Amino acid sequence: MPTRLPSLLAPSRPSRPSRPSRDDAAGPVAGTVRPSRGAPGWATALTLALVCFVTYTALSVRLHQRMLTTGYDLGIFEQAVRSYAHGHLPVAELKGPGFPLLGDHFSPVLALLAPLYRVWPTPVTLLVAQAALFAVAVIPLARWAEEVRGRRAALVVGLGYGAFWGVAQAVGFDFHEVCFAVPLLAFSLTAVGRGRARTAALWALPLLLVKEDLGLTVAVVGLLIARTGDHDHRRTGGALFLAGVLGSFLEILVVIPALNPGGTFAYTSSVPGAGSATPDVGELLLHYTVGMVTPDTKALTVLALLSVTGFLAVRSPLLWAAVPTLLWRFASDNQAYWGTGYHYSAVLMPVLFAAFVDALTRPGPVRYALAASAAVTVLLLPQFPLWQLTQPATWHTDPRLATARRLMDRIPDGATVAASNRLVPQLTNRTLVSVFGLGDSRPDPEWIIDDSAQPQGWPISPDDDRSLLSEARNNGRYRTVADQDGYVLLQRRP
C-alpha cells in the first residue's frame, strides 16, 4: 500500500516540492518545483524550538514564582496529574470533594506527565512540560517551510508561530491539556501537506485522548486525506473521519456523563439548543447564522488569526481543520470563548501556520506574505504575554510574597485548605486545597489562607471576599494564626 498522497492538497503539483533557490525563496513560484534531496531545516527548526522553549519556560515559571498562576486552571491540572502519579484516576478537589476530572473533560493524555511529576512533584513540572510541547510544534512547521521556500520562510513561520498571540496567551495563562494537541496537529497537518497519509492519521488519532471536542478536528483531517480520490487514501481518510466523529460523540454523550457526578456533560448548557427539550427554532436559526459572526468580537478573532499569514492561509484546504474549534467557540454563549484571551486559540496555531506553509507552495505573492507575517508578528507582540519578559516588573519580586510563603509553610501536608485562587497552585502538590469562596468546595476546611489586601475578584468580589473572611474569623469555628502584609491564615478549632 502506498504511504503518500501524490495529489492530496494540490493535484497539479508534485507531492514533495523541493527547497527552491535563494531567489525563489523571496519571490513567487514560477512553475513546478523539483523534489529536494536530503532533509533540510533541522538546524533552523531545532534552534527555533529551543528559543521558544526557553522563552515559554521563563515566562510561565516566572508568573508562578510571582504567584500569578491560579487554581483555575493550573491547580486543577496539577491535582489530576498528582492523582495519576499515585496510581489513581484523576480527582480534582478544586472542582469539588473527590470530583472525578474525567467527568468534566476527557483528557487521559495527562497521565503521560505522571512519571515526571512523581520525580518532581511541583506545578513547575506541568509548566515546563507545556513549554516543551508548544515548542516542539515549531519543528515540523519550520522544516516544511524551509523545504519549500528556504530558510527565510522557516524563520518567519517558526518565529511567527512561536511569538503569535494564540500560543503566547496559553503560555501566559497557567497550564492546559491542549498543549498536547498543538504538536500533534503540527505533525499531522504537515504530513497531510506533504502527502503522507498514514503518518498524518497516526499523528491525528491521539487527539481523541486530549479533549473530547478534538475528535471533530480528527474527522476533518480524515476528510483532508480522503479528498485525494485514491482508493487507499479514501479508505484511510474515511476510517479516520469515522474514528473522530464516533470518538467525540462517545466521549461527550457516554463516557463523560458516566463519570460525572451529575450524570451530564456540564458544558452542554452553554450551547443554545443543546440542553433544551423544546428549543425555539427561530432563535436557534438566528443564533447559528448571524450569531456565529456577531458580536464583532468573533469576526475580530478570525481577522486576528488570519492576519499573521497575510490572509494567504485561506488558500489552503488545511485551514478547514480550524473550523470545529471555531464553531463550538462561537456557538457557545460563554463570551470568554469568543475573543483572543486565555488558551482557547492555542490549537488553532498549528492549523493556521500549516495552512500558511501549504499556501506558500503555490504560485502567489510569497514575498508579500512573508513580509506581512513578520510585520504582524512584531506589531502584535507587545500586546500579549511574551512581552512581559522585557518589562522590569516581571523580574521584581513583591516582598509580600515571602510572607505568603512563610504562612503557607505552617499548613501541614495533607491538610484540607481553602485559599485565594492565586495561592492555590502553591499548595496543590501537598494539600487538599480548594478556592476560598467558591461554591461546592469542601465545607469547613482545616485551614483558610486569604489575600485580603489584593483579592483577585474571582470567584467572589473583593467585598464579598472580605465579608466571608470576617465571618470565618468571627463565628468561633476558626482562630487567627497570622495576619501579616494582608495575608490572613486561619485554623479550624478542634
Side-chain angles (χ1 to χ4, degrees), residues 215-238:
L216 301 180
T217 303
V218 172
V220 173
V221 175
L223 292 177
L224 290 171
I225 293 172
R227 70 188 294 270
T228 179
D230 177 275
H231 173 73
D232 288 337
H233 301 143
R234 285 202 307 270
R235 186 172 60 183
T236 299

mmCIF file of all heavy atoms in Angstrom, residues 215-238:
data_model
loop_
_atom_site.group_PDB
_atom_site.id
_atom_site.type_symbol
_atom_site.label_atom_id
_atom_site.label_comp_id
_atom_site.label_asym_id
_atom_site.label_seq_id
_atom_site.Cartn_x
_atom_site.Cartn_y
_atom_site.Cartn_z
ATOM 1 N N GLY A 215 -12.043 15.280 18.580
ATOM 2 C CA GLY A 215 -12.411 14.233 17.642
ATOM 3 C C GLY A 215 -12.966 14.808 16.352
ATOM 4 O O GLY A 215 -12.775 14.226 15.270
ATOM 5 N N LEU A 216 -13.635 15.944 16.442
ATOM 6 C CA LEU A 216 -14.166 16.577 15.229
ATOM 7 C C LEU A 216 -13.040 17.138 14.372
ATOM 8 O O LEU A 216 -13.127 17.144 13.139
ATOM 9 C CB LEU A 216 -15.151 17.673 15.621
ATOM 10 C CG LEU A 216 -16.354 17.190 16.466
ATOM 11 C CD1 LEU A 216 -17.270 18.359 16.792
ATOM 12 C CD2 LEU A 216 -17.110 16.083 15.734
ATOM 13 N N THR A 217 -11.978 17.592 15.003
ATOM 14 C CA THR A 217 -10.803 18.009 14.247
ATOM 15 C C THR A 217 -10.153 16.812 13.574
ATOM 16 O O THR A 217 -9.700 16.884 12.423
ATOM 17 C CB THR A 217 -9.800 18.718 15.172
ATOM 18 O OG1 THR A 217 -10.451 19.832 15.810
ATOM 19 C CG2 THR A 217 -8.591 19.214 14.401
ATOM 20 N N VAL A 218 -10.091 15.684 14.282
ATOM 21 C CA VAL A 218 -9.590 14.441 13.698
ATOM 22 C C VAL A 218 -10.403 14.087 12.456
ATOM 23 O O VAL A 218 -9.863 13.678 11.422
ATOM 24 C CB VAL A 218 -9.644 13.297 14.727
ATOM 25 C CG1 VAL A 218 -9.298 11.958 14.069
ATOM 26 C CG2 VAL A 218 -8.693 13.570 15.883
ATOM 27 N N ALA A 219 -11.713 14.250 12.552
ATOM 28 C CA ALA A 219 -12.584 13.937 11.421
ATOM 29 C C ALA A 219 -12.258 14.808 10.208
ATOM 30 O O ALA A 219 -12.244 14.328 9.062
ATOM 31 C CB ALA A 219 -14.047 14.120 11.829
ATOM 32 N N VAL A 220 -11.969 16.085 10.445
ATOM 33 C CA VAL A 220 -11.619 16.969 9.335
ATOM 34 C C VAL A 220 -10.293 16.546 8.707
ATOM 35 O O VAL A 220 -10.140 16.562 7.477
ATOM 36 C CB VAL A 220 -11.564 18.435 9.806
ATOM 37 C CG1 VAL A 220 -11.039 19.334 8.689
ATOM 38 C CG2 VAL A 220 -12.941 18.906 10.247
ATOM 39 N N VAL A 221 -9.328 16.145 9.530
ATOM 40 C CA VAL A 221 -8.069 15.637 8.980
ATOM 41 C C VAL A 221 -8.342 14.423 8.097
ATOM 42 O O VAL A 221 -7.754 14.258 7.025
ATOM 43 C CB VAL A 221 -7.083 15.285 10.111
ATOM 44 C CG1 VAL A 221 -5.818 14.639 9.538
ATOM 45 C CG2 VAL A 221 -6.715 16.527 10.908
ATOM 46 N N GLY A 222 -9.283 13.574 8.540
ATOM 47 C CA GLY A 222 -9.664 12.425 7.711
ATOM 48 C C GLY A 222 -10.219 12.844 6.365
ATOM 49 O O GLY A 222 -9.891 12.241 5.332
ATOM 50 N N LEU A 223 -11.036 13.877 6.362
ATOM 51 C CA LEU A 223 -11.584 14.366 5.093
ATOM 52 C C LEU A 223 -10.490 14.933 4.194
ATOM 53 O O LEU A 223 -10.522 14.755 2.969
ATOM 54 C CB LEU A 223 -12.641 15.437 5.369
ATOM 55 C CG LEU A 223 -13.936 14.966 6.031
ATOM 56 C CD1 LEU A 223 -14.854 16.148 6.307
ATOM 57 C CD2 LEU A 223 -14.642 13.936 5.160
ATOM 58 N N LEU A 224 -9.519 15.617 4.796
ATOM 59 C CA LEU A 224 -8.414 16.156 4.006
ATOM 60 C C LEU A 224 -7.612 15.042 3.344
ATOM 61 O O LEU A 224 -7.154 15.170 2.208
ATOM 62 C CB LEU A 224 -7.500 17.005 4.900
ATOM 63 C CG LEU A 224 -8.093 18.325 5.391
ATOM 64 C CD1 LEU A 224 -7.183 18.957 6.445
ATOM 65 C CD2 LEU A 224 -8.299 19.300 4.227
ATOM 66 N N ILE A 225 -7.453 13.937 4.063
ATOM 67 C CA ILE A 225 -6.744 12.788 3.493
ATOM 68 C C ILE A 225 -7.583 12.132 2.393
ATOM 69 O O ILE A 225 -7.083 11.778 1.330
ATOM 70 C CB ILE A 225 -6.415 11.761 4.594
ATOM 71 C CG1 ILE A 225 -5.387 12.337 5.568
ATOM 72 C CG2 ILE A 225 -5.895 10.456 3.993
ATOM 73 C CD1 ILE A 225 -5.135 11.477 6.793
ATOM 74 N N ALA A 226 -8.884 11.991 2.650
ATOM 75 C CA ALA A 226 -9.749 11.259 1.721
ATOM 76 C C ALA A 226 -9.988 11.996 0.414
ATOM 77 O O ALA A 226 -10.328 11.368 -0.597
ATOM 78 C CB ALA A 226 -11.089 10.969 2.393
ATOM 79 N N ARG A 227 -9.804 13.295 0.395
ATOM 80 C CA ARG A 227 -10.174 14.077 -0.789
ATOM 81 C C ARG A 227 -9.282 13.822 -1.999
ATOM 82 O O ARG A 227 -9.574 14.280 -3.106
ATOM 83 C CB ARG A 227 -10.151 15.578 -0.464
ATOM 84 C CG ARG A 227 -8.758 16.141 -0.251
ATOM 85 C CD ARG A 227 -8.805 17.577 0.261
ATOM 86 N NE ARG A 227 -9.348 18.499 -0.686
ATOM 87 C CZ ARG A 227 -8.638 19.169 -1.598
ATOM 88 N NH1 ARG A 227 -7.327 18.945 -1.685
ATOM 89 N NH2 ARG A 227 -9.203 20.017 -2.413
ATOM 90 N N THR A 228 -8.201 13.070 -1.824
ATOM 91 C CA THR A 228 -7.306 12.820 -2.952
ATOM 92 C C THR A 228 -7.952 12.029 -4.076
ATOM 93 O O THR A 228 -7.588 12.165 -5.221
ATOM 94 C CB THR A 228 -6.045 12.072 -2.470
ATOM 95 O OG1 THR A 228 -5.213 11.814 -3.586
ATOM 96 C CG2 THR A 228 -6.408 10.757 -1.828
ATOM 97 N N GLY A 229 -8.897 11.154 -3.747
ATOM 98 C CA GLY A 229 -9.521 10.335 -4.781
ATOM 99 C C GLY A 229 -8.914 8.961 -4.911
ATOM 100 O O GLY A 229 -9.514 8.065 -5.501
ATOM 101 N N ASP A 230 -7.719 8.735 -4.394
ATOM 102 C CA ASP A 230 -7.091 7.414 -4.411
ATOM 103 C C ASP A 230 -7.845 6.480 -3.463
ATOM 104 O O ASP A 230 -8.216 6.861 -2.351
ATOM 105 C CB ASP A 230 -5.627 7.565 -3.987
ATOM 106 C CG ASP A 230 -4.916 6.227 -3.913
ATOM 107 O OD1 ASP A 230 -5.021 5.581 -2.849
ATOM 108 O OD2 ASP A 230 -4.284 5.836 -4.904
ATOM 109 N N HIS A 231 -8.048 5.232 -3.883
ATOM 110 C CA HIS A 231 -8.861 4.297 -3.088
ATOM 111 C C HIS A 231 -8.282 4.073 -1.695
ATOM 112 O O HIS A 231 -8.998 4.152 -0.683
ATOM 113 C CB HIS A 231 -8.987 2.957 -3.818
ATOM 114 C CG HIS A 231 -9.660 1.902 -2.991
ATOM 115 N ND1 HIS A 231 -11.016 1.916 -2.734
ATOM 116 C CD2 HIS A 231 -9.151 0.805 -2.352
ATOM 117 C CE1 HIS A 231 -11.319 0.879 -1.978
ATOM 118 N NE2 HIS A 231 -10.212 0.187 -1.733
ATOM 119 N N ASP A 232 -6.991 3.780 -1.616
ATOM 120 C CA ASP A 232 -6.379 3.513 -0.317
ATOM 121 C C ASP A 232 -6.444 4.730 0.597
ATOM 122 O O ASP A 232 -6.685 4.608 1.804
ATOM 123 C CB ASP A 232 -4.922 3.088 -0.495
ATOM 124 C CG ASP A 232 -4.807 1.695 -1.077
ATOM 125 O OD1 ASP A 232 -5.774 0.912 -0.938
ATOM 126 O OD2 ASP A 232 -3.763 1.384 -1.683
ATOM 127 N N HIS A 233 -6.257 5.880 0.026
ATOM 128 C CA HIS A 233 -6.273 7.090 0.833
ATOM 129 C C HIS A 233 -7.690 7.476 1.229
ATOM 130 O O HIS A 233 -7.910 8.019 2.321
ATOM 131 C CB HIS A 233 -5.571 8.218 0.087
ATOM 132 C CG HIS A 233 -4.150 7.887 -0.244
ATOM 133 N ND1 HIS A 233 -3.550 8.275 -1.418
ATOM 134 C CD2 HIS A 233 -3.223 7.149 0.427
ATOM 135 C CE1 HIS A 233 -2.308 7.824 -1.440
ATOM 136 N NE2 HIS A 233 -2.093 7.137 -0.340
ATOM 137 N N ARG A 234 -8.658 7.217 0.370
ATOM 138 C CA ARG A 234 -10.051 7.430 0.768
ATOM 139 C C ARG A 234 -10.402 6.519 1.935
ATOM 140 O O ARG A 234 -11.116 6.914 2.854
ATOM 141 C CB ARG A 234 -10.989 7.157 -0.416
ATOM 142 C CG ARG A 234 -10.993 8.249 -1.469
ATOM 143 C CD ARG A 234 -12.277 8.195 -2.304
ATOM 144 N NE ARG A 234 -12.506 6.875 -2.861
ATOM 145 C CZ ARG A 234 -12.064 6.461 -4.040
ATOM 146 N NH1 ARG A 234 -11.328 7.285 -4.777
ATOM 147 N NH2 ARG A 234 -12.318 5.251 -4.484
ATOM 148 N N ARG A 235 -9.890 5.296 1.891
ATOM 149 C CA ARG A 235 -10.168 4.363 2.974
ATOM 150 C C ARG A 235 -9.514 4.826 4.281
ATOM 151 O O ARG A 235 -10.145 4.807 5.345
ATOM 152 C CB ARG A 235 -9.673 2.967 2.598
ATOM 153 C CG ARG A 235 -10.036 1.884 3.606
ATOM 154 C CD ARG A 235 -9.681 0.512 3.073
ATOM 155 N NE ARG A 235 -8.249 0.393 2.791
ATOM 156 C CZ ARG A 235 -7.684 -0.677 2.257
ATOM 157 N NH1 ARG A 235 -8.433 -1.722 1.913
ATOM 158 N NH2 ARG A 235 -6.384 -0.711 2.045
ATOM 159 N N THR A 236 -8.263 5.265 4.199
ATOM 160 C CA THR A 236 -7.580 5.774 5.398
ATOM 161 C C THR A 236 -8.283 7.004 5.941
ATOM 162 O O THR A 236 -8.555 7.106 7.147
ATOM 163 C CB THR A 236 -6.115 6.116 5.065
ATOM 164 O OG1 THR A 236 -5.445 4.941 4.620
ATOM 165 C CG2 THR A 236 -5.401 6.678 6.279
ATOM 166 N N GLY A 237 -8.592 7.937 5.043
ATOM 167 C CA GLY A 237 -9.271 9.151 5.470
ATOM 168 C C GLY A 237 -10.661 8.889 6.006
ATOM 169 O O GLY A 237 -11.080 9.484 7.004
ATOM 170 N N GLY A 238 -11.386 7.984 5.354
ATOM 171 C CA GLY A 238 -12.730 7.655 5.824
ATOM 172 C C GLY A 238 -12.713 7.016 7.203
ATOM 173 O O GLY A 238 -13.558 7.324 8.054
#
